[in-house]
């Protein structure tokens, strides 16, 4: 298939109205396709159109999340959700149905379009017209959740600070400061408890209805198929939960015991879990978003010239008072959605990185993580078919998490003091393993939520608490029942992208595997495999992508135990 730029859609094209899109979708729907060559041309035209539609959606979403308090940005996103996706979903289904028939007619077993055929048929089987308005309602509810979170400010020493900027005080060496900050953040979040519970209750009901409309007993099984999890099952996920409980939780609690002894406290409390256990002040890797960009440029320059060139192409941070155009909006501020993401604009093939930097070490992790996603988008951008650039989430997260680990030798750029650099490296390695506990907690929570959609709020809170007993740390939550019961409110994935979380855990094992390969065979060898896998995009099945990266799709208990042993061995080499 040709790799030349395809221009079925005009170069300057605004897809924010259905009137602009409809003639192009009608053209594809009515076009006669009688040969393999005509099929390939049709697929390229469809990719061009889908990319143009996706570009507009990306730009509207980016603007809305960057400025949740901008009525024009919010209104444009809401107007788009009302008009375009409902009609676009139906048009997409009709094209999928035609595409499935054409692929059956003009391909044979073993064809390079096999995976595309499998994904298309899956999409056709799941589509239900009555679910289109449900998905629109869910998107608006997610927007409302973002708005609620974007409005959350904490009164702190005479200032109003976004919650993200409170993280520095949670790392203070003074326990009283940490407790005050932690309680201030928790109290502010709990002020919106009823609003968020209302949003989530409605989401649960709508998702269950959508699953039943598609002929499924529950939303979990529907979403598993919808997310194209062709290579593992819900039961595999449950076994993975057990593996983490068996091997990772004891490791996490060992670290907690070390923390408790080092801090010299009788009982660990939630505000003791983010500070340095030796009482050192919080790490300060950068001053603001632009400083983070410049230091990250140096890190990638040292790691790999090719990756450095890709990162440098993103330009400068938007920064306070700037409005773009830009590929980076990094600083935390009032009226900005929480969290972080990388969003590829599929027609221009340019990534956008969004985060809420507050000058803490966690921001370094987020920066290199989202940069890994951007590398993925750019390295596979040469593939002409959009479907071949649409990589599975499980490997998308390998791309990002691997960067958190392969950049470790160069973290002296952020931390010129070697003790600080080693402290950050140890934290990253240990965190890469112990984060599996949180990841499977969120996944296990979702299994229960959607297998029991008629649950009450009290039952939901109670089940969440049982998961903390199963996968949580050693800190005491005495007297903090509400803070514990509604801690999950901060996890945006539960609201906007249900069941998108186990992918992080599966991918973490892949990233740890690539990192172990870099220790055993050299980082240059690991980078060759890493970039080779990213270049494939979504053109191969998930196991093949892992294999291209030099690892296996394996989340067995044995594999989990092996990677923990490697992490133990490496951290043992690091002082402090």
């Amino acid at each position: 298939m040709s790799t030349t730029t395809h221009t079925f859609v005009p170069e300057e094209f605004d897809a924010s109205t259905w009137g602009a899109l409809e003639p192009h979708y009608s053209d594809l729907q009515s076009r006669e396709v009688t040969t393999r060559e005509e099929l390939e041309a049709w697929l390229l035209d469809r990719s061009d159109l889908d990319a143009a539609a996706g570009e507009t959606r990306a730009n509207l979403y980016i603007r809305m999340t960057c400025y949740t308090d901008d009525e024009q940005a919010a209104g444009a996103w809401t107007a788009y959700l009302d008009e375009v996706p409902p009609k676009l979903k139906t048009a997409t289904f009709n094209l999928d149905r035609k595409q499935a028939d054409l692929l059956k007619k003009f391909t044979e077993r073993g064809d390079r379009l096999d995976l595309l055929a499998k994904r298309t048929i899956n999409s056709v089987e799941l589509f239900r017209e009555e679910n289109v308005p449900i998905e629109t309602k869910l998107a608006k509810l997610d927007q409302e959740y973002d708005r609620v979170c974007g409005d959350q400010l904490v009164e702190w020493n005479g200032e109003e600070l976004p919650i993200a900027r409170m993280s520095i005080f949670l790392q203070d060496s003074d326990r009283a400061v940490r407790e005050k900050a932690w309680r201030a953040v928790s109290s502010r979040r709990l002020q919106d408890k009823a609003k968020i519970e209302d949003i989530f209750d409605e989401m649960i009901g709508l998702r269950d209805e959508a699953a039943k409309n598609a002929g499924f007993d529950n939303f979990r099984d529907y979403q598993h198929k919808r997310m194209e999890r062709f290579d593992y099952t819900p039961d595999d996920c449950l076994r993975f939960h057990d593996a983490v409980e068996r091997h990772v939780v004891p490791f996490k609690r060992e670290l907690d015991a070390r923390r408790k002894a080092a801090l010299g406290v009788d009982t660990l409390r939630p505000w003791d879990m983010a500070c340095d256990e030796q009482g050192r002040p919080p790490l300060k890797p950068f001053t603001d978003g632009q400083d983070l960009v410049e230091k990250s440029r140096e890190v990638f320059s040292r790691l790999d010239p090719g990756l450095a060139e890709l990162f440098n192409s993103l330009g400068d941070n938007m920064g306070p008072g700037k409005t773009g155009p830009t590929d980076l909006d990094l600083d935390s501020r009032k009226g900005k959605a929480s969290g972080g993401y990388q969003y590829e604009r599929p027609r221009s093939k340019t990534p956008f990185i969004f985060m809420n930097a507050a000058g803490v070490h966690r921001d370094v992790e987020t920066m290199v993580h989202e940069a890994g996603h951007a590398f993925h988008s750019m390295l596979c951008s040469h593939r002409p078919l959009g479907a071949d650039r649409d990589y599975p989430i499980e490997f998308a997260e390998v791309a990002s998490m691997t960067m958190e680990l392969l950049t470790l030798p160069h973290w002296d750029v952020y931390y010129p003091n070697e003790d600080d650099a080693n402290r950050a490296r140890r934290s990253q390695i240990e965190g890469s393993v112990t984060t599996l506990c949180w990841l499977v907690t969120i996944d296990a929570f979702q299994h229960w939520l959607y297998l029991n959609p008629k649950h009450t709020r009290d039952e939901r809170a109670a089940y969440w608490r049982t998961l903390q007993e199963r996968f949580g740390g050693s800190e005491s939550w005495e007297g903090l029942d509400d803070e514990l019961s509604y801690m999950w409110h901060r996890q945006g994935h539960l609201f906007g992208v249900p069941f998108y979380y186990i992918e992080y855990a599966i991918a973490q094992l892949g990233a740890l595997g690539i990192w172990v390969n870099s220790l055993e065979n050299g980082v240059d060898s690991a980078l060759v495999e890493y970039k080779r896998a990213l270049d494939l995009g979504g053109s191969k099945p998930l196991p093949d992508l892992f294999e291209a990266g030099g690892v296996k799709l394996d989340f067995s208990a044995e594999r989990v135990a092996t990677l923990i042993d490697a992490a133990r061995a490496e951290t043992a080499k690091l002082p402090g």
Side-chain angles (χ1 to χ4, degrees), residues 179-208:
E179 180 177 357
K180 179 183 175 183
W182 190 92
R183 289 185 182 277
V185 169
S186 297
S187 175
R188 179 61 190 87
R189 283 196 168 116
L190 286 173
Q191 287 177 32
D192 292 321
K193 178 179 73 173
K195 292 179 186 176
I196 292 177
E197 289 284 289
D198 286 345
I199 290 170
F200 200 65
D201 280 345
E202 189 170 355
M203 285 181 157
I204 292 282
L206 288 170
R207 287 168 180 158
D208 188 58

Side-chain angles (χ1 to χ4, degrees), residues 209-279:
E209 182 182 350
K212 300 288 175 51
N213 288 344
F216 286 79
D217 291 336
N218 59 76
F219 180 76
R220 182 198 70 173
D221 295 345
Y222 167 68
Q223 189 72 345
H224 190 95
K225 185 171 175 64
R226 194 173 174 220
M227 296 180 82
E228 298 179 351
R229 293 175 175 172
F230 301 135
D231 301 295
Y232 61 95
T233 68
D235 284 343
D236 290 328
C237 296
L238 298 178
R239 282 190 286 273
F240 188 17
H241 301 170
D242 292 340
V244 169
E245 182 178 16
R246 178 180 172 188
H247 294 291
V248 186
V249 171
F251 177 65
K252 176 178 174 58
R253 292 177 181 172
E254 285 175 24
L255 298 180
D256 288 348
R258 185 187 76 192
R259 170 175 291 274
K260 177 183 173 184
L263 289 175
V265 297
D266 294 331
T267 305
L268 286 173
R269 298 289 274 166
W271 45 86
D272 295 322
M273 306 311 289
C275 65
D276 179 67
E277 60 191 46
Q278 295 185 26

